[in-house]
Amino acid sequence: MSLRSDRIGWALLLAVIGFALLAPAFDQTGPLKQSLLKALAGPDAAAPFGYDHLGRSLFSRLAHALRLSLTIAFAATATAAVVGIGLGVLAAWRGGWIDRALGLVADSVLALPALLMVLMMGVILPGMGAAFWAGIAAVQWIEFFRLTRRACRAVMDGPAVEAARIQGFGPAWIFRRILWPEIGPVLRTAMAFGVAGAIAAIAALGFVSVGVPAPTPELGQMMVELLPSWREAPVAVAQPVAACFLLLLSLNLIAGGRA
């Protein structure tokens, strides 16, 4: 069952990514072009998914919004994974005051709300895209750090690592050949959940109007903009919701299949 859910998740994710990447080749209007005469109009040749409240193509805006969310989420999770895994291995390998210091830093960062972290990065970095990337990565690395440190401690005490040290193998070889095969499956699951969490966070911040500024298309922002028109155009309102749902469902199926 887990293998089947894993395959379904990958199929859904590839379909969403394929739409986000290939849609611009068929886009005739662009995500920002307005035509108020077509506000909330149905699909046509130029806009296969219809128009939003300002007469902008939902087909184009959904594709751009998905690319934005996927790019930020994958970049943030990849950064968090590299930092968290590296520091987790270091803490487990060296132990002592290094382990305690890194644990204290992780606990201190965890005390800060994720929203506050993103807003702080928004002041420091130019552009909300960079702020989302840095803010989400600054929160997510803690999970990778804790998982890696806990898993590596158990492996470090085993005979395989001791034998490799005696034979003169370095840390990189030991990590690649001994540690990663043991901790890799857990961390790959954490990565899938991390990307899903990042996408949900971006959409949630957009929904409360503190995310990517208009008119840049973003899933949460599109939901807020279209929500007042749910009676006149329920299909239009449902589109960013469905896109976000399918994206999160695919990633959770992938993570569940690996668990």
Side-chain angles (χ1 to χ4, degrees):
M1 180 64 184
S2 61
L3 180 60
R4 183 180 178 184
S5 66
D6 183 58
R7 290 177 177 175
I8 294 173
W10 276 112
L12 284 173
L13 180 61
L14 291 175
V16 173
I17 293 175
F19 167 74
L21 295 179
L22 298 178
F26 306 95
D27 184 17
Q28 301 180 27
T29 59
L32 303 180
K33 184 178 179 180
Q34 298 183 15
S35 177
L36 294 178
L37 295 176
K38 296 182 178 180
L40 300 177
D44 59 21
F49 292 174
Y51 296 86
D52 69 1
H53 63 299
L54 295 177
R56 297 173 296 192
S57 169
L58 286 170
F59 179 85
S60 179
R61 290 184 66 78
L62 275 177
H64 279 74
L66 285 169
R67 285 203 303 277
L68 176 67
S69 294
L70 285 167
T71 300
I72 296 175
F74 277 116
T77 303
T79 303
V82 171
V83 174
I85 293 171
L87 294 179
V89 171
L90 176 64
W93 190 285
R94 303 296 295 179
W97 68 270
I98 294 179
D99 184 21
R100 292 192 296 273
L102 290 174
L104 180 61
V105 171
D107 292 340
S108 300
V109 174
L110 191 62
L112 295 174
L115 174 59
L116 178 60
M117 189 70 71
V118 173
L119 294 177
M120 288 171 56
M121 293 299 175
V123 176
I124 299 171
L125 299 174
M128 283 305 296
F132 274 125
W133 163 73
I136 293 172
V139 174
Q140 283 191 348
W141 74 269
I142 300 170
E143 183 67 20
F144 291 103
F145 168 75
R146 289 180 165 180
L147 287 172
T148 303
R149 181 176 62 170
R150 187 184 311 118
C152 283
R153 279 175 174 171
V155 182
M156 289 287 186
D157 296 333
V161 174
E162 186 63 29
R165 285 174 171 173
I166 293 174
Q167 295 178 47
F169 291 108
W173 188 94
I174 293 174
F175 175 79
R176 187 174 66 255
R177 295 296 183 89
I178 300 176
L179 295 180
W180 183 252
E182 295 293 330
I183 67 177
V186 175
L187 293 176
R188 285 194 292 269
T189 300
M191 290 176 194
F193 278 127
V195 174
I199 291 171
I202 295 168
L205 291 172
F207 194 82
V208 295
S209 302
V210 293
V212 178
T216 302
E218 190 276 317
L219 294 175
Q221 180 195 93
M222 290 177 66
M223 296 178 201
V224 173
E225 291 177 343
L226 290 165
L227 192 58
S229 307
W230 70 272
R231 291 182 183 274
E232 296 86 354
V235 175
V237 179
Q239 289 183 36
V241 177
C244 189
F245 172 77
L246 289 175
L247 199 49
L248 295 177
L249 175 64
S250 67
L251 290 164
N252 280 279
L253 286 174
I254 292 170
R258 291 187 178 277

